[in-house]
Amino acid sequence: EWCWEERASAYDAHWVKEQDKIIAQERARIVRSGFAIQHKRIQELDKITQELIAMASEADKVWIPGQKVFWNGKNAELIDTITFNHQLYALIRKYLGDIASEMGERKQKIEIDETGEIEQDSKVLHDLCMHALEPFPEAKYALADALMKFEESK
């Protein structure tokens, strides 16, 4: 007579719709703010990269002084060392790569169209590989054999 099950189901369905609306509004707000926006990510990556590049111009950040203990029999001798900070340059390269990726300037895969033709970039890569392997004919033949075997296995 009061149809409690139907009323409860209707209430639950209404509650789910309301929650979905709230979630959609929150998602829309979040996707349009902070690091969800591409140019904000690029801006922050650029800022970090600029700071790293500035560090690379300072000799004390590139060449790190240190000391090592050298044991000579029973005596220990302290030796001054200078170490090249290769991690700094690796970070600069990483952040520059991240910027390029964010901007879509790094291709992640080779695309093949419907006719089976490989994209132009792959042809350029092939030509560069062949040119680089010219002084090493054995490697060139080994690469050709491997490609032929790969084609046959398809």
Side-chain angles (χ1 to χ4, degrees):
E1 109 184 16
W2 294 98
C3 305
W4 289 112
E5 288 181 19
E6 293 170 6
R7 291 172 71 183
S9 293
Y11 176 81
D12 290 346
H14 175 73
W15 184 83
V16 167
K17 284 183 184 177
E18 289 298 314
Q19 292 298 311
D20 287 346
K21 285 180 189 175
I22 293 169
I23 291 169
Q25 290 170 349
E26 288 176 0
R27 180 174 287 145
R29 181 178 46 80
I30 290 168
V31 170
R32 291 182 180 89
S33 66
F35 291 122
I37 301 171
Q38 182 187 32
H39 72 273
K40 293 284 188 182
R41 291 191 304 268
I42 293 170
Q43 184 179 29
E44 188 63 24
L45 289 168
D46 182 62
K47 178 182 159 198
I48 294 168
T49 304
Q50 293 299 331
E51 291 171 1
L52 290 169
I53 290 171
M55 287 175 63
S57 67
E58 300 173 30
D60 64 327
K61 301 284 195 288
V62 177
W63 299 100
I64 310 295
Q67 292 184 328
K68 289 190 177 187
V69 177
F70 178 72
W71 287 93
N72 186 4
K74 295 181 180 181
N75 300 324
E77 185 180 340
L78 229 60
I79 298 175
D80 292 330
T81 62
I82 296 177
T83 307
F84 178 70
N85 187 359
H86 64 87
Q87 296 95 338
L88 175 61
Y89 290 93
L91 276 174
I92 291 170
R93 182 177 167 85
K94 176 198 175 304
Y95 278 98
L96 289 172
D98 289 349
I99 291 170
S101 293
E102 283 291 334
M103 295 181 68
E105 295 178 354
R106 295 277 168 103
K107 293 199 175 193
Q108 299 297 323
K109 60 182 180 179
I110 297 173
E111 295 180 16
I112 300 176
D113 65 14
E114 301 81 37
T115 63
E117 290 292 317
I118 297 176
E119 193 179 358
Q120 185 64 31
D121 289 348
S122 297
K123 290 179 182 176
V124 171
L125 178 62
H126 173 269
D127 292 344
L128 288 171
C129 287
M130 289 298 124
H131 178 70
L133 290 174
E134 280 179 8
F136 311 101
E138 298 84 18
K140 199 172 182 181
Y141 296 131
L143 178 61
D145 289 341
L147 288 173
M148 197 180 314
K149 288 177 185 173
F150 176 74
E151 286 296 321
E152 290 171 357
S153 68
K154 285 186 184 179

